[in-house]
Amino acid sequence: MEFDAEIHGENYHFAPINNNSVLVSGRNAEYILYKSRTWRCADELPRDTIEELGEIIDEHLHTPHS
């Protein structure tokens, strides 16, 4: 399920690729986050940014939607 979220005043679009990967699109960039034990990203993002994006993904993936 795709969803949007605002982080630090910027809107991001989250689109699952498969069970362990999510494409995160912002105004000026796109990132693929993947989960092994924790969320990771091949791009050079600050660890706290990856953690924050991962928390948002986990919240949306584990929240029941009607």
Side-chain angles (χ1 to χ4, degrees), residues 36-51:
S36 50
R37 286 185 210 151
T38 60
W39 285 101
R40 299 178 183 272
C41 184
D43 293 305
E44 301 225 2
L45 292 176
R47 184 77 215 146
D48 59 333
T49 301
I50 295 171
E51 289 174 359

Side-chain angles (χ1 to χ4, degrees), residues 26-65:
R27 181 179 48 191
N28 297 316
E30 289 185 331
Y31 310 107
I32 294 177
L33 270 67
Y34 61 94
K35 190 167 192 175
S36 50
R37 286 185 210 151
T38 60
W39 285 101
R40 299 178 183 272
C41 184
D43 293 305
E44 301 225 2
L45 292 176
R47 184 77 215 146
D48 59 333
T49 301
I50 295 171
E51 289 174 359
E52 188 168 4
L53 292 170
E55 286 175 12
I56 290 170
I57 294 167
D58 286 338
E59 287 174 13
H60 278 82
L61 293 179
H62 294 101
T63 301
H65 295 277

Side-chain angles (χ1 to χ4, degrees), residues 2-27:
E2 295 185 20
F3 62 92
D4 296 312
E6 184 175 320
I7 302 168
H8 303 293
E10 184 169 345
N11 291 319
Y12 288 91
H13 182 76
F14 294 77
I17 298 170
N18 59 37
N19 289 338
N20 299 318
S21 302
V22 176
L23 174 64
V24 180
S25 303
R27 181 179 48 191

